[in-house]
Each structure stands twice: as C-alpha cells, then as structure tokens.
Amino acid sequence: MGAKRHFLTFPTINTIKKYLPDNIKYYGEGSVTNKSIEFLMAEIVREKVFELKADIGVAFDGDCDRVGIIDEKGDYIAPDMYLIALWRDIINKVEHKCVLHDVKCTKAIADEMKKLGGSVCRYRVGNSYIKAKMREGDFMLGGELSGHIFFRDR
C-alpha cells in the first residue's frame, strides 16, 4: 500500500487517530453512530473512496463492533472474504488452526482453510454465541457475515 491513500470512518476516530500513519485519512466525527454498517458502506465510504482515490475504505458501525470494507472500485468486500485474508496472516502464528464462523458465511472459508492446512467450525448466528464458542473452543479467529470479527491470537 505504500504511499497510496487510505481512509477510515467511525465514530471514535478521535480516540485512535494518534496511532494512524500519515497516509491514512479519516472521516467521521460521531454523526453516524446510529447507522448500520451497510449504510456506511453504501452511502459514506464508497463516496469517500472515490473522492480521495483511496485504495480501500474501512468503516465501523455505531458501536464499533462490526467492520465493513470497500475496495478502490467501490465494491463491498464481504466479511467472510476478509476473514480469509486475516486467517492467512495468523495461521502460521497459532497452534489451533481452526477458524470459527457463522452459518451464513460462504463455503470459500472452508475451501481456503483446507488449502492452508487448517479447518473450520460453523456455528450459529449471533455475536454473543460466537464469542462464547471462541472461548469454549479456544479459537484464535472467528467472524460472522454481519461483520463481527473476533481475535484471540495473542
């Protein structure tokens, strides 16, 4: 990504902007806290990606527990697809090589995990259920098609 332009939007940007590299631009001041991730992606982030000629746009929903990603063409990247990307990054760093995901996610996760030498556990929809199962099964990464992503790799 180098010196290209990127940006984030979410209500709590002021709490983390001091940690952002200079090439990451941000938009948002809390005015969208009651909006869904789908609204943020369709209405706000896509416009900003085009306006800034950004490589990627990232948004969090109002309570910052779901993330959505838009690519440079304005296309929404489904959460199960970036769950795969996250898993590729941590699979060789963790002992338990099984990703937890809800039943709404596509078969692409299982296919990719098989290629990487890992496995999957499909579980019921609901972030409280996924969180509980993460602890119970000692999963290092989990997620839902809704955009909830959970880490326990450290």
Side-chain angles (χ1 to χ4, degrees):
M1 290 187 200
K4 295 188 178 182
R5 301 180 81 176
H6 318 285
F7 86 97
L8 304 170
T9 177
F10 52 102
T12 58
I13 189 66
N14 291 325
T15 62
I16 70 151
K17 68 181 177 182
K18 64 184 174 186
Y19 302 105
L20 296 176
D22 291 338
N23 68 329
I24 294 185
K25 306 301 178 199
Y26 60 90
Y27 172 83
E29 66 295 317
S31 63
V32 293
T33 57
N34 64 342
K35 303 297 184 187
S36 71
I37 199 74
E38 294 81 9
F39 173 84
L40 287 169
M41 293 288 95
E43 300 298 322
I44 297 171
V45 178
R46 184 173 288 117
E47 291 174 19
K48 279 294 187 183
V49 165
F50 291 141
E51 176 188 325
L52 299 173
K53 295 181 175 61
D55 296 318
I56 191 172
V58 178
F60 295 84
D61 71 337
D63 61 357
C64 293
D65 71 345
R66 294 188 302 144
V67 65
I69 300 174
I70 292 285
D71 70 13
E72 74 282 0
K73 297 176 209 157
D75 295 329
Y76 181 67
I77 299 173
D80 54 349
M81 295 299 109
Y82 59 80
L83 189 61
I84 290 170
L86 294 169
W87 188 251
R88 286 179 186 153
D89 184 58
I90 71 166
I91 192 165
N92 294 320
K93 301 172 188 171
V94 298
E95 191 173 318
H96 188 214
K97 298 185 184 317
C98 187
V99 65
L100 177 66
H101 64 87
D102 72 5
V103 297
K104 290 183 175 183
C105 289
T106 65
K107 186 177 175 292
I109 292 176
D111 292 344
E112 186 63 20
M113 288 305 294
K114 186 176 180 181
K115 286 183 205 172
L116 295 172
S119 60
V120 296
C121 178
R122 294 182 70 163
Y123 200 60
R124 69 188 293 182
V125 174
N127 70 331
S128 60
Y129 300 117
I130 296 285
K131 279 192 263 186
K133 189 72 168 174
M134 291 274 299
R135 288 187 292 274
E136 176 188 310
D138 197 31
F139 294 96
M140 298 299 112
L141 179 65
E144 297 183 295
L145 200 57
S146 67
H148 291 111
I149 303 294
F150 308 96
F151 296 91
R152 282 193 59 226
D153 63 317
R154 295 180 202 161

